[in-house]
Amino acid sequence: MSYRVLIVEDHKIMREGIRALLERSSEFAIVGDVETGTEAIQICTEVRPDIVLMDIGLPGLNGVDSTAELLRRSPSTRVGMLSMYDDEDSGVSSIRAGARGYVVKQASSAELPEALRDGDRGGADPGPHGWPSTMTRAAGGAGRRRG
C-alpha cells in the first residue's frame, strides 16, 4: 500500500529531512510540505493526503488545534503528531485532538515510518518514545508518567 503524506513542520531542514527519509520507501508519496497548521488545513482539501505528519509546535495555530480543525473538515485523514516534547500531556492532548499517533523527534529514523503505518492501521500507541498510559488518559482514565 502506498500512503500519500503531507508534512507540516515549521523548520525547513526538518521538512527536508523527513521528506528524504520517507521518500526512501516507495510506500510513501509526499504530496506536499508546509510550514503552518493553517496551510495544512487549506492544502488538505486540495491534495487529500492519507496521512498528515503534524509538528505539535507550530507558529500561530499549533499542531493540536490544527489537527482538531483539519479533522473537522477532513475526517478521513489520519494525523500523526511529531514533537520535540517528551511529556505525557502533549501526547494526551494530541490524541484527544484526533491524532492517531505521537512520535518524539528523538525517535530513530526507523520509528517514524513505522509510526505512520501504525497510525494508518488505527493504532494510537505513542511507541517507545511515548507512554503506555497515554491512551487511557486520552480516554479520560487515570494515567501516570513513565519515568
Side-chain angles (χ1 to χ4, degrees), residues 3 39 61 104 113 120 146:
Y3 301 103
E39 290 173 307
L61 195 62
V104 293
D120 180 66
R146 191 170 95 180

Side-chain angles (χ1 to χ4, degrees), residues 67-140:
T67 295
E69 181 60 22
L70 187 149
L71 292 174
R72 186 182 72 72
R73 295 180 186 202
S74 183
S76 64
T77 302
R78 278 97 60 206
V79 177
M81 195 67 73
L82 182 64
S83 178
M84 68 179 198
Y85 304 114
D86 194 9
D87 67 282
E88 187 175 6
D89 290 337
S90 294
V92 169
S93 62
S94 297
I95 301 302
R96 284 185 178 159
R100 297 252 188 126
Y102 186 91
V103 179
V104 293
K105 291 179 180 177
Q106 294 88 340
S108 73
S109 61
E111 289 174 290
L112 180 59
E114 188 58 33
L116 293 178
R117 284 184 212 100
D118 287 348
D120 180 66
R121 291 189 289 258
D125 180 6
H129 288 283
W131 303 266
S133 61
T134 298
M135 288 310 296
T136 303
R137 283 203 48 219

Side-chain angles (χ1 to χ4, degrees), residues 2-74:
S2 180
Y3 301 103
R4 295 169 41 83
V5 180
L6 173 66
I7 301 167
V8 186
E9 165 63 59
D10 58 321
H11 296 98
K12 184 176 183 175
I13 195 166
M14 288 294 297
R15 283 194 316 274
E16 291 173 351
I18 292 166
R19 176 184 282 270
L21 171 68
L22 295 178
E23 286 180 338
R24 283 194 243 167
S25 168
S26 61
E27 193 174 7
F28 300 100
I30 308 304
V31 295
D33 62 74
V34 296
E35 294 181 31
T36 69
T38 302
E39 290 173 307
I41 293 164
Q42 292 169 347
I43 199 168
C44 274
T45 61
E46 299 167 19
V47 300
R48 298 281 184 209
D50 299 311
I51 300 171
V52 173
L53 182 60
M54 178 85 68
D55 182 20
I56 197 170
L58 297 170
L61 195 62
N62 68 42
V64 172
D65 293 338
S66 295
T67 295
E69 181 60 22
L70 187 149
L71 292 174
R72 186 182 72 72
R73 295 180 186 202
S74 183

